[in-house]
Amino acid sequence: MIDVLLSIHPVGQAFLASLFTWGMTACGAGTVYLGRNPGRKTLDAMLGFAAGVMIAASYWSLLAPALAMGEGKAFPAWLPVAFGFLCGGAFLRLIDNFLPHLHLNFPRSEAEGIPTRWRRSTLLVLAITLHNIPEGLAIGVAFGAVGAGFSDASLSGAIALALGIGIQNFPEGMAVSVPLFRDGLTRRRSFMAGQLSGVVEIFAAVLGAALVVAAEPLLPMALSFAAGAMIFVVVEEVIPESQRGGNTDIATLGVMIGFTLMMILDVALG
């Protein structure tokens, strides 16, 4: 498998990896067709798990390689990484401020972004779509780094990142489709909305890989930018959503398990 991927252009690798992560989102959304849907406690645990994966991926798959790539330069290694990290958070804050969206388990009155009369289902899908933008960028820049030939980037590490994000996309897809079904949508419409939230990862991954291939010197900043965007999403949205239902202990346990799994994947495969 590795030999086959090595023969593909980095943008193509990112595209294939993001197809996998989107597929996992669709699989999670497809659980709405099961006879019995998971309860609130299960969804909160899964959201916590997704947060743990994203936190671990932000360091081991993005920030650590970015810092290593900055060694031996005329400026401190931490400078472009810190700048990129903060820019990633600022970018997501800008989108968060304008894009109409509604976090899971929040009432319609607490919708964020520009005021709109869009339906609750649309706002929920946009919220998860917002989650997936930094995940797609992370996949793209990871494969782009391998294609650029940086010694601190490996194809197995990029695959580990895609695998970890794909695993946590399963509960994210479920966390969209199940609440929508409970809100009165049909199973089909709930599934379509859930899987649609993962499509943006494909575009973000291709864009991230293309930018890195075109401008290799920006790679440390691009990696840290994706990390900053992911940490913003985790702290501002995913963890609060997982804790809102009162299942704080199980949600926190989910974070710990997700973090540990992603750490193992990255260290073992990367």
Side-chain angles (χ1 to χ4, degrees), residues 5-195:
L5 286 175
L6 284 172
S7 65
I8 302 174
H9 190 274
V11 175
Q13 294 172 352
F15 175 73
L16 293 176
S18 60
L19 281 181
F20 164 72
T21 59
W22 165 76
M24 291 296 291
T25 303
C27 288
T31 58
V32 75
Y33 285 107
L34 299 179
R36 183 178 179 181
N37 291 315
R40 177 65 181 274
K41 184 178 292 187
T42 301
L43 289 176
D44 287 345
M46 289 182 169
L47 282 173
F49 175 85
V53 169
M54 293 173 72
I55 293 171
S58 295
Y59 176 73
W60 270 281
S61 297
L62 300 171
L63 288 177
L67 288 167
M69 292 172 190
E71 294 292 342
K73 301 292 178 20
F75 43 80
W78 54 263
L79 184 59
V81 175
F83 180 73
F85 184 83
L86 293 176
C87 285
F91 174 71
L92 259 292
R93 178 66 184 90
L94 184 65
I95 297 179
D96 186 73
N97 195 46
F98 289 99
L99 180 70
H101 63 284
L102 177 65
H103 300 315
L104 298 172
N105 306 318
F106 281 52
R108 179 68 172 76
S109 59
E110 294 187 30
E112 299 180 16
I114 298 175
T116 178
R117 294 183 179 179
W118 292 348
R119 291 181 299 180
R120 173 183 171 84
S121 59
T122 301
L123 296 175
L124 286 171
V125 172
L126 288 175
I128 297 298
T129 299
L130 187 63
H131 292 187
N132 290 334
I133 291 175
E135 295 172 9
L137 286 174
I139 292 172
V141 296
F143 280 97
V146 177
F150 283 89
S151 58
D152 296 294
S154 66
L155 183 58
S156 56
I159 293 174
L161 174 62
L163 182 60
I165 289 178
I167 291 172
Q168 65 94 34
N169 273 2
F170 184 90
E172 280 194 354
M174 184 187 299
V176 176
S177 63
V178 172
L180 290 180
F181 178 65
R182 290 175 180 167
D183 283 349
L185 269 67
T186 64
R187 293 183 189 274
R188 179 180 179 278
R189 293 186 65 186
S190 299
F191 166 74
M192 292 301 295
Q195 63 85 25

